[in-house]
């Protein structure tokens, strides 16, 4: 995955707020990457409504 790439939220690894649950199945664009708790990298995804949320890479699927 890379910055600017379109992705779809395919799963949620942890318990999250209702606002994040609403992103499940939605498509957005990777805006930047963020180090997680030292065990990996997450992606900050911007959605068409201009909201942003970060996800683990295995929660996202690239869209062609």
């Amino acid at each position: 995955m890379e910055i600017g790439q379109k992705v779809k939220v395919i799963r949620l690894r942890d318990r999250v707020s209702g606002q994040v649950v609403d992103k499940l199945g939605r498509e957005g664009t990777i805006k930047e990457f963020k180090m997680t708790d030292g065990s990996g990298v997450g992606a900050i995804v911007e959605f068409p409504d201009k909201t942003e949320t970060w996800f683990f890479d295995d929660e996202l699927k690239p869209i062609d």
Side-chain angles (χ1 to χ4, degrees):
M1 288 190 281
E2 55 191 48
I3 293 175
Q5 185 173 19
K6 299 263 188 212
V7 293
K8 183 174 185 175
V9 181
I10 58 168
R11 69 182 216 125
L12 300 172
R13 187 190 288 191
D14 297 322
R15 289 186 179 191
V16 292
S17 71
Q19 291 175 329
V20 176
V21 170
D22 290 342
K23 304 299 184 196
L24 188 60
R26 294 191 51 204
E27 298 176 3
T29 304
I30 294 177
K31 187 170 182 180
E32 62 184 284
F33 293 101
K34 168 184 167 175
M35 288 298 295
T36 60
D37 59 4
S39 63
V41 176
I44 297 176
V45 177
E46 182 178 43
F47 295 92
D49 63 2
K50 300 299 179 200
T51 59
E52 296 178 0
T53 307
W54 79 269
F55 297 93
F56 291 105
D57 62 344
D58 65 342
E59 296 176 318
L60 303 171
K61 177 183 177 183
I63 297 174
D64 297 328

